[in-house]
Amino acid sequence: MEGLTMGSYGAYVWSCFIMGGLVLLICDWRARSLQRKVYRDIEVRIKALGDEL
Amino acid sequence: MWKFIHKLASPPHFYNLAPKLVPWFTVPGVLLVAYGVYAGLFLAPADYQQGDAFRIIYIHVPSAYLSMMAYMIMAVSAAIGLIWRIKLSHAVAAAAAPLGAWFTFLALATGSIWGRPMWGTWWEWGDPRLTSELIMLFVYFGYMALRAAIDDTAKADKASAVLALVGAVNVPIIHFSVEWWSSLHQGATLLRKDGPAMDPSMLYPLLAMILAFTFLFGALLTRRIRTEVLFRERRTRWVKDMVLSAKGRN
């Protein structure tokens, strides 16, 4: 329990570690979702061009 | 050497190389984070002055260092793009900006959380380190807003590169602010002439976290550059061939 409360600083310390983890996860998710979106847009454009021809 | 750099700067080559590079950054990054978090939270002893609140440095210091490193990557890439007109350089600069902004936010937020129990305040406007770091966050926002406001990629590259270079003057100000002016923020702990002012039991987890964040930043940046390359090259023959051949395989 002492490991979690860290004197009276537990809330400060844990919130920083959680925030650090969240930032890394958000950056990772955003990088993946952007890649998927750009790739999908290109697929749609190529399909549209193919249909026109 | 030049042949290798020239080849690396080729968008199709980088696009195909990037997925092979990412695991080399991610695996050591995750392993080092696991060690750094465990050692930083449970193995390192409490500081004799700050108690357990000092453990915030294991997130704050790596993110503050990355906020400046990302900016330097952005500014140097922008300069290379402006001078030598290497397409990939502008893609690197554009990819580094949002990551730099996230790590600057993290450095400011964790610094603020640390300041509350240590200084008795969340924020101190008179402190040069805090204010200059906040200015860097605004420069990142300005850089991204400028890019988003210009539809022509070539024009956006040039205008944002100039802004990135002008904003680079802030990086040494952030770094040396604690030496140049009186500051609430503590002075350098790691980069000192007489060596780090930390016990090894606290220092090693910190070095592990700095290295871990650097590796993970490398993985994120590589992925972002790959997406940026794909977007910029979306109308080229090689992208069309790649998408069609991938579709043919599925």
Side-chain angles (χ1 to χ4, degrees):
Chain A
M1 195 60 196
E2 174 61 23
L4 293 178
T5 55
M6 297 191 177
S8 56
Y9 300 124
Y12 300 108
V13 175
W14 286 110
S15 60
C16 286
F17 275 77
I18 290 167
M19 202 187 296
L22 278 176
V23 164
L24 289 174
L25 288 176
I26 289 169
C27 287
D28 183 69
W29 167 78
R30 186 78 184 128
R32 285 170 197 273
S33 66
L34 262 177
Q35 169 75 19
R36 272 197 300 269
K37 186 187 175 302
V38 171
Y39 195 91
R40 223 176 12 242
D41 287 351
I42 292 169
E43 275 184 328
V44 168
R45 198 178 58 83
I46 289 173
K47 190 174 181 298
L49 283 173
D51 289 346
E52 271 176 28
L53 295 172
Chain B
M1 176 69 180
W2 285 112
K3 204 176 167 187
F4 170 76
I5 292 172
H6 195 259
K7 198 179 171 191
L8 188 68
S10 144
H13 180 75
F14 183 85
Y15 187 85
N16 291 318
L17 180 70
K20 293 171 196 141
L21 292 176
V22 169
W24 291 97
F25 289 120
T26 309
V27 173
V30 169
L31 290 175
L32 282 164
V33 158
Y35 163 74
V37 167
Y38 178 72
L41 284 174
F42 303 111
L43 299 182
D47 183 72
Y48 80 107
Q49 279 182 320
Q50 301 180 23
D52 284 301
F54 101 92
R55 296 181 202 281
I56 291 172
I57 64 161
Y58 295 118
I59 302 294
H60 176 70
V61 173
S63 52
Y65 142 76
L66 272 184
S67 71
M68 287 189 278
M69 193 177 83
Y71 198 95
M72 288 317 294
I73 290 172
M74 187 176 91
V76 170
S77 305
I80 291 172
L82 267 185
I83 299 164
W84 288 291
R85 297 180 185 186
I86 296 172
K87 278 194 213 170
L88 192 68
S89 302
H90 288 300
V92 173
L99 294 175
W102 270 112
F103 284 106
T104 307
F105 161 76
L106 187 59
L108 286 167
T110 53
S112 177
I113 291 170
W114 180 85
R116 180 62 191 147
M118 291 299 117
W119 299 341
T121 179
W122 296 103
W123 189 262
E124 177 54 54
W125 283 108
D127 188 84
R129 173 61 70 83
L130 272 65
T131 314
S132 53
E133 184 80 8
L134 182 65
I135 288 170
M136 188 158 74
L137 182 64
F138 292 148
V139 176
Y140 274 125
F141 287 160
Y143 177 91
M144 290 187 284
L146 186 62
R147 291 201 68 87
I150 304 172
D151 288 333
D152 184 322
T153 309
K155 283 181 185 165
D157 283 342
K158 273 186 194 165
S160 59
V162 172
L163 178 62
L165 288 172
V166 171
V169 76
N170 192 38
V171 176
I173 293 176
I174 296 172
H175 185 73
F176 293 108
S177 57
V178 288
E179 293 174 24
W180 291 344
W181 299 289
S182 69
S183 173
L184 266 178
H185 196 284
Q186 67 193 67
T189 308
L190 292 178
L191 302 173
R192 290 154 51 104
K193 281 177 195 159
D194 49 348
M198 278 181 104
D199 186 76
S201 59
M202 296 170 166
L203 178 66
Y204 293 150
L206 180 59
L207 295 177
M209 286 299 274
I210 290 172
L211 212 54
F213 269 53
T214 308
F215 273 116
L216 295 176
F217 174 79
L220 291 167
L221 183 64
T222 307
R223 279 222 209 97
R224 282 260 185 183
I225 299 169
R226 188 170 183 251
T227 305
E228 192 65 36
V229 165
L230 186 64
F231 177 74
R232 286 160 180 261
E233 299 280 308
R234 64 192 181 282
R235 292 192 178 91
T236 57
R237 184 82 216 171
W238 73 267
V239 168
K240 191 183 172 191
D241 289 346
M242 180 196 66
V243 171
L244 287 175
S245 73
K247 230 177 176 166
R249 281 201 300 271
N250 292 332

